[in-house]
mmCIF file of all heavy atoms in Angstrom:
data_model
loop_
_atom_site.group_PDB
_atom_site.id
_atom_site.type_symbol
_atom_site.label_atom_id
_atom_site.label_comp_id
_atom_site.label_asym_id
_atom_site.label_seq_id
_atom_site.Cartn_x
_atom_site.Cartn_y
_atom_site.Cartn_z
ATOM 1 N N ILE A 1 117.021 85.395 100.534
ATOM 2 C CA ILE A 1 116.805 84.245 99.652
ATOM 3 C C ILE A 1 116.053 84.671 98.381
ATOM 4 O O ILE A 1 116.407 84.282 97.269
ATOM 5 C CB ILE A 1 116.017 83.136 100.383
ATOM 6 C CG1 ILE A 1 116.881 82.508 101.474
ATOM 7 C CG2 ILE A 1 115.530 82.070 99.405
ATOM 8 C CD1 ILE A 1 116.106 81.615 102.431
ATOM 9 N N TYR A 2 115.026 85.490 98.540
ATOM 10 C CA TYR A 2 114.183 85.885 97.413
ATOM 11 C C TYR A 2 114.795 86.992 96.541
ATOM 12 O O TYR A 2 114.447 87.120 95.376
ATOM 13 C CB TYR A 2 112.817 86.372 97.896
ATOM 14 C CG TYR A 2 111.889 85.288 98.377
ATOM 15 C CD1 TYR A 2 111.241 85.387 99.597
ATOM 16 C CD2 TYR A 2 111.624 84.170 97.599
ATOM 17 C CE1 TYR A 2 110.360 84.407 100.037
ATOM 18 C CE2 TYR A 2 110.750 83.185 98.018
ATOM 19 C CZ TYR A 2 110.122 83.311 99.244
ATOM 20 O OH TYR A 2 109.253 82.340 99.656
ATOM 21 N N HIS A 3 115.685 87.805 97.113
ATOM 22 C CA HIS A 3 116.153 89.018 96.438
ATOM 23 C C HIS A 3 116.701 88.812 95.021
ATOM 24 O O HIS A 3 116.373 89.604 94.135
ATOM 25 C CB HIS A 3 117.173 89.763 97.291
ATOM 26 C CG HIS A 3 117.595 91.053 96.676
ATOM 27 N ND1 HIS A 3 116.782 92.167 96.689
ATOM 28 C CD2 HIS A 3 118.704 91.401 95.999
ATOM 29 C CE1 HIS A 3 117.393 93.144 96.053
ATOM 30 N NE2 HIS A 3 118.558 92.712 95.628
ATOM 31 N N PRO A 4 117.515 87.792 94.746
ATOM 32 C CA PRO A 4 118.012 87.661 93.372
ATOM 33 C C PRO A 4 116.892 87.540 92.334
ATOM 34 O O PRO A 4 117.012 88.047 91.225
ATOM 35 C CB PRO A 4 118.862 86.386 93.413
ATOM 36 C CG PRO A 4 119.265 86.249 94.842
ATOM 37 C CD PRO A 4 118.103 86.782 95.633
ATOM 38 N N LYS A 5 115.805 86.869 92.693
ATOM 39 C CA LYS A 5 114.707 86.673 91.743
ATOM 40 C C LYS A 5 113.630 87.748 91.892
ATOM 41 O O LYS A 5 113.004 88.145 90.914
ATOM 42 C CB LYS A 5 114.087 85.293 91.941
ATOM 43 C CG LYS A 5 113.174 84.899 90.814
ATOM 44 C CD LYS A 5 112.963 83.410 90.813
ATOM 45 C CE LYS A 5 112.425 82.978 89.479
ATOM 46 N NZ LYS A 5 112.377 81.546 89.350
ATOM 47 N N TYR A 6 113.400 88.188 93.112
ATOM 48 C CA TYR A 6 112.369 89.185 93.417
ATOM 49 C C TYR A 6 113.002 90.341 94.188
ATOM 50 O O TYR A 6 112.965 90.368 95.421
ATOM 51 C CB TYR A 6 111.222 88.548 94.222
ATOM 52 C CG TYR A 6 110.566 87.423 93.479
ATOM 53 C CD1 TYR A 6 110.786 86.094 93.824
ATOM 54 C CD2 TYR A 6 109.743 87.690 92.389
ATOM 55 C CE1 TYR A 6 110.195 85.061 93.119
ATOM 56 C CE2 TYR A 6 109.153 86.653 91.674
ATOM 57 C CZ TYR A 6 109.385 85.356 92.046
ATOM 58 O OH TYR A 6 108.812 84.337 91.340
ATOM 59 N N PRO A 7 113.570 91.299 93.464
ATOM 60 C CA PRO A 7 114.263 92.391 94.149
ATOM 61 C C PRO A 7 113.335 93.367 94.870
ATOM 62 O O PRO A 7 113.793 94.158 95.689
ATOM 63 C CB PRO A 7 115.022 93.089 93.020
ATOM 64 C CG PRO A 7 114.295 92.725 91.773
ATOM 65 C CD PRO A 7 113.700 91.371 92.013
ATOM 66 N N TYR A 8 112.043 93.299 94.589
ATOM 67 C CA TYR A 8 111.095 94.211 95.218
ATOM 68 C C TYR A 8 110.201 93.421 96.173
ATOM 69 O O TYR A 8 109.601 92.410 95.788
ATOM 70 C CB TYR A 8 110.270 94.945 94.158
ATOM 71 C CG TYR A 8 111.168 95.685 93.200
ATOM 72 C CD1 TYR A 8 111.495 95.123 91.962
ATOM 73 C CD2 TYR A 8 111.743 96.889 93.554
ATOM 74 C CE1 TYR A 8 112.349 95.779 91.095
ATOM 75 C CE2 TYR A 8 112.603 97.553 92.697
ATOM 76 C CZ TYR A 8 112.904 96.987 91.467
ATOM 77 O OH TYR A 8 113.767 97.628 90.618
ATOM 78 N N TYR A 9 110.125 93.867 97.414
ATOM 79 C CA TYR A 9 109.484 93.117 98.493
ATOM 80 C C TYR A 9 108.710 94.089 99.374
ATOM 81 O O TYR A 9 109.240 95.128 99.774
ATOM 82 C CB TYR A 9 110.579 92.431 99.308
ATOM 83 C CG TYR A 9 110.121 91.534 100.423
ATOM 84 C CD1 TYR A 9 110.086 90.160 100.245
ATOM 85 C CD2 TYR A 9 109.765 92.038 101.666
ATOM 86 C CE1 TYR A 9 109.685 89.318 101.275
ATOM 87 C CE2 TYR A 9 109.360 91.204 102.694
ATOM 88 C CZ TYR A 9 109.325 89.851 102.485
ATOM 89 O OH TYR A 9 108.935 89.022 103.505
ATOM 90 N N ALA A 10 107.460 93.767 99.670
ATOM 91 C CA ALA A 10 106.641 94.579 100.573
ATOM 92 C C ALA A 10 105.841 93.643 101.465
ATOM 93 O O ALA A 10 105.396 92.585 101.022
ATOM 94 C CB ALA A 10 105.706 95.482 99.783
ATOM 95 N N ALA A 11 105.668 94.030 102.716
ATOM 96 C CA ALA A 11 104.899 93.217 103.657
ATOM 97 C C ALA A 11 104.126 94.118 104.607
ATOM 98 O O ALA A 11 104.595 95.195 104.963
ATOM 99 C CB ALA A 11 105.833 92.303 104.448
ATOM 100 N N VAL A 12 102.943 93.673 104.984
ATOM 101 C CA VAL A 12 102.140 94.375 105.986
ATOM 102 C C VAL A 12 101.668 93.370 107.031
ATOM 103 O O VAL A 12 101.415 92.209 106.726
ATOM 104 C CB VAL A 12 100.927 95.116 105.373
ATOM 105 C CG1 VAL A 12 101.380 96.191 104.400
ATOM 106 C CG2 VAL A 12 99.953 94.171 104.723
ATOM 107 N N GLU A 13 101.564 93.862 108.252
ATOM 108 C CA GLU A 13 101.070 93.051 109.355
ATOM 109 C C GLU A 13 99.544 93.147 109.392
ATOM 110 O O GLU A 13 98.981 94.227 109.189
ATOM 111 C CB GLU A 13 101.634 93.565 110.682
ATOM 112 C CG GLU A 13 103.142 93.530 110.764
ATOM 113 C CD GLU A 13 103.709 92.134 110.802
ATOM 114 O OE1 GLU A 13 103.088 91.247 111.422
ATOM 115 O OE2 GLU A 13 104.779 91.932 110.207
ATOM 116 N N LEU A 14 98.894 92.031 109.683
ATOM 117 C CA LEU A 14 97.444 92.040 109.848
ATOM 118 C C LEU A 14 97.052 92.208 111.302
ATOM 119 O O LEU A 14 95.914 92.443 111.615
ATOM 120 C CB LEU A 14 96.816 90.771 109.274
ATOM 121 C CG LEU A 14 96.943 90.600 107.773
ATOM 122 C CD1 LEU A 14 96.208 89.360 107.321
ATOM 123 C CD2 LEU A 14 96.437 91.822 107.033
ATOM 124 N N GLY A 15 97.985 92.064 112.175
ATOM 125 C CA GLY A 15 97.760 92.231 113.606
ATOM 126 C C GLY A 15 99.013 91.795 114.330
ATOM 127 O O GLY A 15 99.825 91.040 113.788
ATOM 128 N N GLU A 16 99.184 92.268 115.525
ATOM 129 C CA GLU A 16 100.407 91.963 116.263
ATOM 130 C C GLU A 16 100.556 90.461 116.474
ATOM 131 O O GLU A 16 99.772 89.838 117.182
ATOM 132 C CB GLU A 16 100.393 92.680 117.613
ATOM 133 C CG GLU A 16 101.726 92.594 118.319
ATOM 134 C CD GLU A 16 101.730 93.421 119.592
ATOM 135 O OE1 GLU A 16 101.096 94.484 119.621
ATOM 136 O OE2 GLU A 16 102.378 92.966 120.548
ATOM 137 N N GLY A 17 101.550 89.892 115.820
ATOM 138 C CA GLY A 17 101.826 88.471 115.934
ATOM 139 C C GLY A 17 100.816 87.563 115.259
ATOM 140 O O GLY A 17 100.878 86.350 115.397
ATOM 141 N N ILE A 18 99.862 88.143 114.516
ATOM 142 C CA ILE A 18 98.805 87.314 113.920
ATOM 143 C C ILE A 18 99.215 86.794 112.554
ATOM 144 O O ILE A 18 99.290 85.602 112.317
ATOM 145 C CB ILE A 18 97.475 88.091 113.810
ATOM 146 C CG1 ILE A 18 96.965 88.431 115.206
ATOM 147 C CG2 ILE A 18 96.436 87.289 113.056
ATOM 148 C CD1 ILE A 18 95.741 89.309 115.207
ATOM 149 N N ASP A 19 99.467 87.700 111.631
ATOM 150 C CA ASP A 19 99.704 87.259 110.260
ATOM 151 C C ASP A 19 100.374 88.363 109.468
ATOM 152 O O ASP A 19 100.445 89.508 109.893
ATOM 153 C CB ASP A 19 98.385 86.868 109.599
ATOM 154 C CG ASP A 19 98.573 85.846 108.496
ATOM 155 O OD1 ASP A 19 99.723 85.612 108.084
ATOM 156 O OD2 ASP A 19 97.573 85.293 108.035
ATOM 157 N N ARG A 20 100.843 88.010 108.286
ATOM 158 C CA ARG A 20 101.505 88.964 107.405
ATOM 159 C C ARG A 20 101.124 88.658 105.964
ATOM 160 O O ARG A 20 101.034 87.513 105.559
ATOM 161 C CB ARG A 20 103.015 88.831 107.575
ATOM 162 C CG ARG A 20 103.821 89.649 106.608
ATOM 163 C CD ARG A 20 105.295 89.542 106.884
ATOM 164 N NE ARG A 20 105.549 90.300 108.097
ATOM 165 C CZ ARG A 20 106.542 90.058 108.927
ATOM 166 N NH1 ARG A 20 107.377 89.088 108.686
ATOM 167 N NH2 ARG A 20 106.707 90.777 110.006
ATOM 168 N N LEU A 21 100.891 89.725 105.198
ATOM 169 C CA LEU A 21 100.715 89.621 103.756
ATOM 170 C C LEU A 21 102.008 90.090 103.110
ATOM 171 O O LEU A 21 102.599 91.075 103.541
ATOM 172 C CB LEU A 21 99.563 90.492 103.275
ATOM 173 C CG LEU A 21 98.176 90.135 103.785
ATOM 174 C CD1 LEU A 21 97.172 91.177 103.322
ATOM 175 C CD2 LEU A 21 97.765 88.764 103.302
ATOM 176 N N VAL A 22 102.425 89.403 102.054
ATOM 177 C CA VAL A 22 103.685 89.722 101.383
ATOM 178 C C VAL A 22 103.434 89.825 99.883
ATOM 179 O O VAL A 22 102.684 89.022 99.317
ATOM 180 C CB VAL A 22 104.750 88.628 101.654
ATOM 181 C CG1 VAL A 22 106.036 88.906 100.903
ATOM 182 C CG2 VAL A 22 105.020 88.495 103.146
ATOM 183 N N CYS A 23 104.083 90.788 99.262
ATOM 184 C CA CYS A 23 104.096 90.903 97.805
ATOM 185 C C CYS A 23 105.558 90.978 97.379
ATOM 186 O O CYS A 23 106.326 91.794 97.898
ATOM 187 C CB CYS A 23 103.350 92.146 97.354
ATOM 188 S SG CYS A 23 103.441 92.410 95.568
ATOM 189 N N MET A 24 105.952 90.112 96.459
ATOM 190 C CA MET A 24 107.305 90.122 95.904
ATOM 191 C C MET A 24 107.170 90.277 94.402
ATOM 192 O O MET A 24 106.276 89.694 93.792
ATOM 193 C CB MET A 24 108.044 88.839 96.243
ATOM 194 C CG MET A 24 108.226 88.631 97.727
ATOM 195 S SD MET A 24 109.122 87.138 98.125
ATOM 196 C CE MET A 24 108.069 85.891 97.441
ATOM 197 N N SER A 25 108.091 91.041 93.810
ATOM 198 C CA SER A 25 107.912 91.359 92.403
ATOM 199 C C SER A 25 109.240 91.534 91.687
ATOM 200 O O SER A 25 110.236 91.955 92.274
ATOM 201 C CB SER A 25 107.094 92.657 92.306
ATOM 202 O OG SER A 25 106.982 93.086 90.979
ATOM 203 N N LYS A 26 109.205 91.222 90.398
ATOM 204 C CA LYS A 26 110.326 91.549 89.519
ATOM 205 C C LYS A 26 110.206 92.990 89.047
ATOM 206 O O LYS A 26 111.149 93.538 88.495
ATOM 207 C CB LYS A 26 110.347 90.596 88.321
ATOM 208 C CG LYS A 26 110.635 89.158 88.715
ATOM 209 C CD LYS A 26 110.615 88.247 87.505
ATOM 210 C CE LYS A 26 110.876 86.805 87.916
ATOM 211 N NZ LYS A 26 110.835 85.899 86.766
ATOM 212 N N PHE A 27 109.020 93.592 89.260
ATOM 213 C CA PHE A 27 108.754 94.974 88.871
ATOM 214 C C PHE A 27 108.860 95.872 90.106
ATOM 215 O O PHE A 27 108.534 95.440 91.215
ATOM 216 C CB PHE A 27 107.350 95.103 88.272
ATOM 217 C CG PHE A 27 107.107 94.191 87.112
ATOM 218 C CD1 PHE A 27 106.312 93.065 87.254
ATOM 219 C CD2 PHE A 27 107.676 94.452 85.879
ATOM 220 C CE1 PHE A 27 106.076 92.218 86.192
ATOM 221 C CE2 PHE A 27 107.441 93.606 84.798
ATOM 222 C CZ PHE A 27 106.652 92.486 84.952
ATOM 223 N N PRO A 28 109.253 97.120 89.926
ATOM 224 C CA PRO A 28 109.351 98.029 91.071
ATOM 225 C C PRO A 28 108.008 98.202 91.794
ATOM 226 O O PRO A 28 106.961 98.354 91.159
ATOM 227 C CB PRO A 28 109.796 99.355 90.445
ATOM 228 C CG PRO A 28 110.447 98.977 89.159
ATOM 229 C CD PRO A 28 109.716 97.754 88.685
ATOM 230 N N ILE A 29 108.055 98.160 93.104
ATOM 231 C CA ILE A 29 106.896 98.469 93.942
ATOM 232 C C ILE A 29 107.021 99.942 94.305
ATOM 233 O O ILE A 29 107.932 100.339 95.025
ATOM 234 C CB ILE A 29 106.849 97.578 95.202
ATOM 235 C CG1 ILE A 29 106.698 96.104 94.804
ATOM 236 C CG2 ILE A 29 105.713 98.011 96.117
ATOM 237 C CD1 ILE A 29 106.783 95.120 95.965
ATOM 238 N N LEU A 30 106.113 100.748 93.781
ATOM 239 C CA LEU A 30 106.165 102.190 93.998
ATOM 240 C C LEU A 30 105.682 102.573 95.399
ATOM 241 O O LEU A 30 106.223 103.476 96.028
ATOM 242 C CB LEU A 30 105.330 102.919 92.944
ATOM 243 C CG LEU A 30 105.735 102.672 91.489
ATOM 244 C CD1 LEU A 30 104.741 103.329 90.544
ATOM 245 C CD2 LEU A 30 107.142 103.186 91.239
ATOM 246 N N SER A 31 104.636 101.897 95.853
ATOM 247 C CA SER A 31 104.094 102.139 97.188
ATOM 248 C C SER A 31 103.225 100.949 97.579
ATOM 249 O O SER A 31 102.823 100.155 96.728
ATOM 250 C CB SER A 31 103.274 103.432 97.230
ATOM 251 O OG SER A 31 102.137 103.319 96.403
ATOM 252 N N TYR A 32 102.962 100.844 98.867
ATOM 253 C CA TYR A 32 102.078 99.788 99.353
ATOM 254 C C TYR A 32 101.474 100.219 100.672
ATOM 255 O O TYR A 32 102.017 101.075 101.374
ATOM 256 C CB TYR A 32 102.798 98.441 99.479
ATOM 257 C CG TYR A 32 103.887 98.420 100.523
ATOM 258 C CD1 TYR A 32 103.638 97.970 101.815
ATOM 259 C CD2 TYR A 32 105.162 98.856 100.218
ATOM 260 C CE1 TYR A 32 104.637 97.944 102.770
ATOM 261 C CE2 TYR A 32 106.166 98.827 101.159
ATOM 262 C CZ TYR A 32 105.900 98.377 102.435
ATOM 263 O OH TYR A 32 106.882 98.361 103.380
ATOM 264 N N GLU A 33 100.326 99.628 100.984
ATOM 265 C CA GLU A 33 99.656 99.950 102.237
ATOM 266 C C GLU A 33 98.704 98.831 102.616
ATOM 267 O O GLU A 33 98.235 98.077 101.763
ATOM 268 C CB GLU A 33 98.870 101.251 102.118
ATOM 269 C CG GLU A 33 97.721 101.169 101.115
ATOM 270 C CD GLU A 33 96.974 102.474 100.966
ATOM 271 O OE1 GLU A 33 96.543 103.029 101.985
ATOM 272 O OE2 GLU A 33 96.826 102.923 99.814
ATOM 273 N N ARG A 34 98.447 98.745 103.896
ATOM 274 C CA ARG A 34 97.420 97.835 104.385
ATOM 275 C C ARG A 34 96.070 98.510 104.165
ATOM 276 O O ARG A 34 95.916 99.709 104.378
ATOM 277 C CB ARG A 34 97.627 97.558 105.865
ATOM 278 C CG ARG A 34 96.566 96.647 106.420
ATOM 279 C CD ARG A 34 96.746 96.387 107.886
ATOM 280 N NE ARG A 34 95.553 95.707 108.359
ATOM 281 C CZ ARG A 34 95.298 95.478 109.618
ATOM 282 N NH1 ARG A 34 96.138 95.855 110.543
ATOM 283 N NH2 ARG A 34 94.193 94.875 109.963
ATOM 284 N N LEU A 35 95.088 97.742 103.707
ATOM 285 C CA LEU A 35 93.727 98.233 103.564
ATOM 286 C C LEU A 35 92.984 97.868 104.846
ATOM 287 O O LEU A 35 92.809 96.683 105.153
ATOM 288 C CB LEU A 35 93.054 97.615 102.337
ATOM 289 C CG LEU A 35 93.771 97.876 101.011
ATOM 290 C CD1 LEU A 35 93.098 97.127 99.880
ATOM 291 C CD2 LEU A 35 93.840 99.362 100.720
ATOM 292 N N ASN A 36 92.602 98.860 105.593
ATOM 293 C CA ASN A 36 92.025 98.624 106.917
ATOM 294 C C ASN A 36 90.516 98.441 106.851
ATOM 295 O O ASN A 36 89.811 99.237 106.249
ATOM 296 C CB ASN A 36 92.348 99.799 107.845
ATOM 297 C CG ASN A 36 93.825 99.861 108.146
ATOM 298 O OD1 ASN A 36 94.430 98.860 108.495
ATOM 299 N ND2 ASN A 36 94.412 101.024 108.000
#
């Protein structure tokens, strides 16, 4: 659904089945990581 507008998508889990953080962008995402 998001891809036509936001071709770059990254997500990290905060815990098993707990939650997720998502970043969507019109700009290239070079890398991403969870900050522990």
Side-chain angles (χ1 to χ4, degrees):
I1 291 168
Y2 286 130
H3 184 76
K5 193 161 197 172
Y6 300 105
Y8 303 98
Y9 184 100
V12 298
E13 300 292 324
L14 295 184
E16 190 175 325
I18 296 174
D19 207 348
R20 173 176 287 153
L21 296 174
V22 177
C23 176
M24 298 181 299
S25 175
K26 294 179 181 179
F27 304 106
I29 297 174
L30 302 174
S31 64
Y32 65 95
E33 64 182 307
R34 179 181 170 189
L35 302 175
N36 292 312

